[in-house]
Amino acid sequence: MKVVIHYCEPCGYRPRAQQAEARLRQLAGAEVELVKGHGGVFEITVDGQLKFSKKALGRFPTEAEIDALAKG
């Protein structure tokens, strides 16, 4: 599983991205790449498909949502 977490560096979202990264590595052994961005972005893509977008939902993912991504 290849996961990309695109996060807003100026907004201070790096710790959230790192938490999600650690959880996905722990639960799924996922290969996770963190990508710095801007403009309030926080998106999680799994195997090339967008699975979570903060802009679309207006919030960060819950632990349960991250766990669900790890399970596929």
Side-chain angles (χ1 to χ4, degrees), residues 32-53:
V32 183
E33 178 184 1
L34 299 181
V35 178
K36 295 177 187 177
H38 60 280
V41 68
F42 194 94
E43 295 182 338
I44 302 175
T45 303
V46 178
D47 294 330
Q49 294 186 2
L50 181 63
K51 297 292 186 177
F52 184 88
S53 171

Side-chain angles (χ1 to χ4, degrees), residues 6-17 36-42 54-55 60:
H6 191 201
Y7 67 95
C8 180
E9 177 75 15
C11 299
Y13 295 168
R14 172 178 249 169
R16 288 183 182 266
K36 295 177 187 177
H38 60 280
V41 68
F42 194 94
K54 180 182 171 292
K55 282 193 174 190
F60 289 99

Side-chain angles (χ1 to χ4, degrees), residues 19-20 23-24 27 44 61-71:
Q19 287 173 344
R23 189 81 177 155
L24 289 164
L27 294 176
I44 302 175
T62 64
E63 279 190 27
E65 288 171 319
I66 292 171
D67 291 355
L69 290 175
K71 293 175 185 170

